[in-house]
DNA sequence: CCCTGATGAGACAATCATGTCTCATATGGC
DNA sequence: GCCATATGAGACATGATTGTCTCATCAGGG
């Protein structure tokens, strides 16, 4: 009887990723529950998005943990991070876009935590001589988010094969488009 | 007396870039005109977005022309393209996001034209041995759009300095984050 | 088997954005 | 100065969405 809150959130995410303007009624139908029940568990649309935000942050921080960014080379860490983040790429992409709409409102402190970890990772990579120092950690962080979102969308519309998601992102982010001598 | 249609579109773009959900009333106020006048010139919100789309495509195709992608090395062409596109980056970023919402609806043929030009540019670069062949032209095209959008946003929120916009995008797209031997 | 609690369906009012309309005003050409 | 035209302000109806409520139904525990 007890409603599976997690399951509702996951189907809501799946819907909102593709149609960010979906109504509460559509969300409810997608989750296979009534609109009233949806309202009983999430006070309103804002509360629903907030819950999705919590879910996304949790997933992203779990991916950061699973990636063990400190082990091995920075390149290996980045590959593990992108691999770990792939299942949540759509949700994270949705949340990043949604976040950009929040004008001056306070952002979820979880994003700041995650940003700091990613940014620090790129900084360490620079200090160890693995990453270029002329691209700022803040930019590399944003670029990573942007490419994950672009990659998720490209896969969704079929411009990139699902199995190429990780490769395309990692290779572009690490090596760029230029054909270098060692290749 | 004649209303400056171009000026209205530009202020609408400036507003919608930051707040994609702005109402017609807000758009009118931002343009310094009445809502009725706005409706007289643009039948509805859809027509307004369509007009912005035309404006954005026109700007992007003008940038493609100005970049002279065929002259010199592919790298030089890409640098010129990003420089030429910078003034319209915000508008283009908004339109790309907006386009992703159009479910199965037909996309503006202008995007297909532009996509084809960019994609062909990357393909030529590959054929001439300047670009890696393991990253598909379609992905490089999407990544370019994504990075332009990310860059425009990063500049807008102050994470990247305005004068670094071009450099950050071009360098990441071409060379990637990895520190290579020649550096 | 009964009873408690959650659910689904639907009614309902309130809100908001939209699109249309009217009317008074102002601008610019003649 | 006059007139045609465009504009601004606002009223109005409409449709969509939201949030709340009621009520009948159903499932599970005791």
């Amino acid at each position: 009887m007890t409603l599976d809150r997690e399951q509702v959130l996951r189907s809501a995410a799946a819907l909102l990723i593709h149609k960010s303007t979906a109504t509460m009624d559509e969300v409810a139908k997608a989750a296979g529950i009534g609109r009233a029940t949806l309202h009983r568990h999430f006070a309103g649309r804002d509360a629903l998005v907030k819950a999705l935000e919590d879910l996304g942050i949790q997933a992203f921080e779990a991916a950061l943990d699973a990636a063990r960014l400190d082990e091995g080379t920075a390149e290996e860490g980045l590959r593990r991070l992108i691999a770990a983040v792939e299942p949540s790429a759509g949700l994270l992409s949705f949340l990043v876009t949604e976040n950009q709409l929040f004008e001056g409102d306070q952002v979820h402190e979880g994003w700041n935590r995650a940003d700091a970890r990613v940014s620090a990772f790129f900084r360490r990579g620079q200090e160890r001589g693995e990453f270029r120092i002329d691209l700022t950690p803040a930019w590399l962080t944003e670029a990573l988010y942007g490419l994950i979102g672009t990659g998720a969308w490209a896969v969704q519309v079929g411009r990139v094969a699902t199995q190429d998601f990780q490769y395309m992102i990692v290779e572009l982010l690490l090596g760029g488009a230029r054909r270098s001598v060692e290749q």
Side-chain angles (χ1 to χ4, degrees), chain A residues 9 12 21 33 43 50-51 53 55 59 66 78 80 82 85-86 92 97 109 125 134 152 154 167-168:
Chain A
L9 281 176
T21 59
I33 63 176
K50 180 72 165 53
E53 207 174 11
L55 184 68
L78 185 60
R80 284 194 299 264
I82 293 178
V85 106
E86 177 169 4
L92 294 174
T97 304
E109 83 282 354
D134 58 335
Y167 184 82
M168 292 287 165

Side-chain angles (χ1 to χ4, degrees), chain A residues 60-81:
Chain A
F60 190 42
E61 296 200 311
L64 282 167
D65 293 336
R68 310 186 311 280
L69 293 178
D70 288 325
E71 296 182 20
T73 67
E75 174 167 338
E76 289 166 354
L78 185 60
R79 288 182 190 277
R80 284 194 299 264
L81 175 59

